[in-house]
Amino acid sequence: MKGGCKVKICGITSVGDRNTVADLGADFFGVIFDVSFSPRSQTLDSAINLLTDPPIPGIVLVYDPDWKDLNRLLQGCRPYGIQFLSPAPQARLASLKKDFPELALWQSLHLPEAHGAHHEVQISARFGLASLLAKINELRSQGIDLVVLDTVAVIAGRTRYGGTGRVSDWSLVRNLVTQAPLPIYLAGGINPGNVREALSTVNPAGIDLCSGVESSIGYKDPLKVRDLLIQVRQWEEAELHKA
Ligand SMILES: O=C(O)c1ccccc1NCC(=O)[C@H](O)[C@H](O)COP(=O)(O)O
C-alpha cells in the first residue's frame, strides 16, 4: 500500500479559513496569486499574509506570473511550494531551484470535463495516455516534483482552468497514477459526495479541491471540509487493513 492520500484545500482567501482547514486535518492549503480569471485570487500583500508562518504547508498558485512579484512573494514568506497553472519556462524553473532549493514545484495539467460538450473532440491525441505520460516525463526532467490533474471546462461560454467543480475522466487519471514517474494529485469537482468514489477509482497520491467544500465562492464551509476529511481518513484506514 502506498502512503495514504494527501489533501490540499485550495482557493483560501482568509486566515480564518486557512486555520480552520488546518485544524480539521488538511495537509496543504493553496493560495491563488494574481490570477485575473480566478474569483479567489489574492494580491501580493494578502498572499504574503496568508502564507506567512502557516500551521500547515502553503502552496502558491500562479498563471503566467510576473516573475519579479513572484520573487518578492517567495522572499517574503517562503511558501512550501509553487503550483504552475500554465507551463513554466525551463530557465525559470532552473533559477527557482537554484534560489529556493527547498521549494516544491508542482504543475497543473488540465483534462477535459467528463461527458462535457467538447469531451469527445478534445480527448483525442493531446489528452491520450501516451502523450500525457510523455508530458509528465518532460516535466520531471525539467524539475517538476508533482503533477495535479485538474479539469478544464467551458462554463457559461468561457473556458475555465480550475475551480470548475467539474470532474474529468477518472479512468484516464487512474492509468496515469499507475504509470507516471511523478506523484499525481486528482483535482476537479471533488466534494464530500463523490470523494470515496474518486479515491477508489483513482487511488491518487493526493486530492486538490476548492469549490466542493465552499458555502459560497471563496468561503470554506467547515462542515463540508470536515465531512470530506473524515471520509478520506476512513478510506485510508480501510486501505491499510486491506494490505
Ligand atoms: O479555484 C479557482 O478559483 C481557480 C481558478 C482558476 C484556476 C485555478 C483555480 N483553482 C485551482 C485549484 O487548485 C482547485 O483546487 C482546482 O482547480 C479544483 O477546483 P474544484 O473543481 O473547484 O474543486
Side-chain angles (χ1 to χ4, degrees):
M1 133 102 194
K2 67 179 181 62
C5 177
K6 302 289 184 198
V7 177
K8 171 180 158 240
I9 306 288
C10 200
I12 294 293
T13 61
S14 69
V15 167
D17 276 1
R18 180 199 73 184
N19 294 346
T20 299
V21 304
D23 288 347
L24 291 171
D27 297 289
F28 302 100
F29 70 101
V31 173
I32 300 171
F33 172 50
D34 196 21
V35 174
S36 61
F37 53 86
S38 169
R40 303 170 181 91
S41 185
Q42 301 295 301
T43 62
L44 181 60
D45 286 346
S46 61
I48 289 180
N49 185 40
L50 290 169
L51 289 157
T52 298
D53 296 329
I56 52 173
I59 306 287
V60 54
L61 282 83
V62 294
Y63 180 93
D64 192 14
D66 177 313
W67 294 93
K68 266 198 192 141
D69 282 351
L70 180 57
N71 220 53
R72 266 187 223 131
L73 184 142
L74 297 178
Q75 296 285 3
C77 59
R78 303 276 168 164
Y80 174 84
I82 302 189
Q83 183 174 337
F84 295 100
L85 299 168
S86 53
Q90 166 74 80
R92 293 289 184 187
L93 292 176
S95 63
L96 284 172
K97 282 265 176 213
K98 183 164 88 43
D99 298 342
F100 305 95
E102 305 292 315
L103 186 70
L105 300 178
W106 295 10
Q107 177 71 54
S108 290
L109 295 179
H110 297 89
L111 302 178
E113 178 187 0
H115 316 302
H118 304 277
H119 181 71
E120 285 74 16
V121 183
Q122 293 177 335
I123 200 71
S124 59
R126 193 151 69 91
F127 298 107
L129 182 62
S131 58
L132 285 163
L133 280 172
K135 181 72 203 161
I136 295 170
N137 267 297
E138 182 193 340
L139 291 170
R140 180 171 176 257
S141 72
Q142 294 174 344
I144 293 292
D145 301 303
L146 183 150
V147 168
V148 179
L149 286 172
D150 200 354
T151 305
V152 52
V154 180
I155 299 173
R158 281 185 47 211
T159 305
R160 296 178 195 254
Y161 292 89
T164 62
R166 307 285 175 90
V167 303
S168 66
D169 176 356
W170 287 350
S171 57
L172 175 59
V173 183
R174 168 72 189 150
N175 284 327
L176 288 163
V177 165
T178 52
Q179 295 179 48
L182 288 176
I184 303 285
Y185 281 18
L186 174 68
I190 302 169
N191 58 54
N194 67 8
V195 66
R196 284 260 181 170
E197 189 192 343
L199 298 182
S200 341
T201 310
V202 178
N203 195 11
I207 55 174
D208 176 343
L209 65 154
C210 183
S211 57
V213 287
E214 288 184 332
S215 49
S216 59
I217 292 177
Y219 297 91
K220 299 306 180 230
D221 179 333
L223 293 179
K224 289 183 185 171
V225 175
R226 192 176 62 163
D227 185 3
L228 180 118
L229 282 158
I230 287 173
Q231 296 196 59
V232 173
R233 302 312 173 208
Q234 284 175 347
W235 180 83
E236 285 178 316
E237 195 64 25
E239 285 296 296
L240 200 61
H241 288 104
K242 266 195 213 162

